[in-house]
Amino acid sequence: MKNPVIKIPVRDFGTMTAELYGNAAPITVQNFVNLAESGFYTGLKFHRIIEGFMMQGGASENPPASIVGEFASNGIENNLKHTRGVISMARTPIKDSASSQFFIMHQDAPHLDGEYAAFGWVTSGIEVVDAICDSTQVIDGNGTVLPGYEPIIKEIRIVE
């Protein structure tokens, strides 16, 4: 399987391009591609942003079903590291609770390795991540962005 390439245009910030790695997290990549192709992410927001750590988006009032967490502490080999630009699935403390929310690493966070399903990497547009993380005001230490100020995902489009 060829690695899908996606574009994520964010209103007022620019566009990120990323490659998704099905060899590292095939269930996660297929889930993400299916959601993107269905238009699920269109208009959703980056609602949690922690400068120097990550930005998280993809929350919906109607989240899809959960998927298997593809990471070492859940018994699945995934050698992608949570380095700057890596895309990974957000989840609750329940290891198989990821569904649609994802995060993009602003800076390296090795403590996440083996605990979250990393599945892609920003190949161009990392300056968009920088701009969002550096300029979006949050209201608490958890990175909560005030409603109305969250950067908006125009869409997530599969381009290759």
Side-chain angles (χ1 to χ4, degrees), residues 3-152:
N3 290 337
V5 175
I6 62 170
K7 294 225 179 252
I8 308 172
V10 180
R11 185 178 300 156
D12 300 326
F13 286 98
T15 300
M16 296 169 277
T17 302
E19 184 174 3
L20 307 181
Y21 302 117
N23 61 334
I27 296 166
T28 303
V29 168
Q30 190 60 60
N31 179 68
F32 191 85
V33 166
N34 290 345
L35 291 171
E37 289 179 336
S38 76
F40 177 85
Y41 290 109
T42 301
L44 294 182
K45 301 166 183 164
F46 286 102
H47 62 278
R48 182 171 178 239
I49 300 168
I50 301 175
E51 184 179 8
F53 180 40
M54 61 88 220
M55 57 188 227
Q56 181 176 330
S60 169
E61 292 180 14
N62 298 307
S66 298
I67 59 173
V68 172
E70 295 175 296
F71 45 89
S73 73
N74 205 25
I76 298 172
E77 183 178 349
N78 180 335
N79 294 319
L80 291 180
K81 304 292 184 199
H82 286 83
T83 56
R84 177 172 164 77
V86 159
I87 302 172
S88 190
M89 287 304 286
R91 64 174 176 85
T92 71
I94 299 167
K95 292 184 178 190
D96 292 335
S97 63
S99 67
S100 63
Q101 292 191 48
F102 65 97
F103 57 95
I104 302 173
M105 301 307 305
H106 186 216
Q107 299 298 335
D108 297 358
H111 67 280
L112 299 180
D113 296 344
E115 297 297 327
Y116 290 83
F119 68 98
W121 185 67
V122 174
T123 57
S124 69
I126 195 70
E127 67 278 2
V128 174
V129 175
D130 291 337
I132 291 170
C133 289
D134 294 344
S135 68
T136 304
Q137 291 188 344
V138 299
I139 60 171
D140 58 29
N142 195 41
T144 305
V145 182
L146 278 174
Y149 293 92
E150 304 108 322
I152 297 171

